[in-house]
Amino acid sequence: TGYSVLDMINAFEKATNKKVNYVIGPRREGDIDECYSDPTKANNELNWKAEKNLTDMVKSAYDYVSKNY
């Protein structure tokens, strides 16, 4: 599943109940159009599949950083 930056911001806000201040502006020089990852190799070699949705993943990362930094 692909996610946009705005999807990430919305997931962070939902997971943390914190407002993210952001500005939608023009693309910066050097910004890439799209970036994808294919988890097939992780599944084939490690028998690993992602089981969480975007909001759960953001919440987990936020909780980790909050407790360790």
Side-chain angles (χ1 to χ4, degrees):
T1 302
Y3 300 105
S4 69
V5 173
L6 192 54
D7 290 333
M8 297 292 294
I9 291 169
N10 291 332
F12 181 88
E13 289 180 341
K14 183 177 179 183
T16 65
N17 293 315
K18 295 182 184 286
K19 180 73 176 133
V20 174
N21 294 323
Y22 62 91
V23 174
I24 298 176
R27 187 178 302 273
R28 301 167 300 180
E29 184 178 336
D31 282 351
I32 59 175
D33 291 335
E34 298 175 343
C35 180
Y36 294 93
S37 175
D38 180 357
T40 303
K41 186 173 182 179
N43 186 19
N44 292 341
E45 294 187 14
L46 304 173
N47 197 30
W48 180 87
K49 288 185 180 181
E51 297 175 350
K52 302 205 180 287
N53 64 37
L54 180 60
T55 302
D56 292 338
M57 290 184 281
V58 171
K59 174 110 175 77
S60 176
Y62 178 77
D63 290 345
Y64 177 83
V65 171
S66 295
K67 293 174 186 170
N68 293 289
Y69 294 94

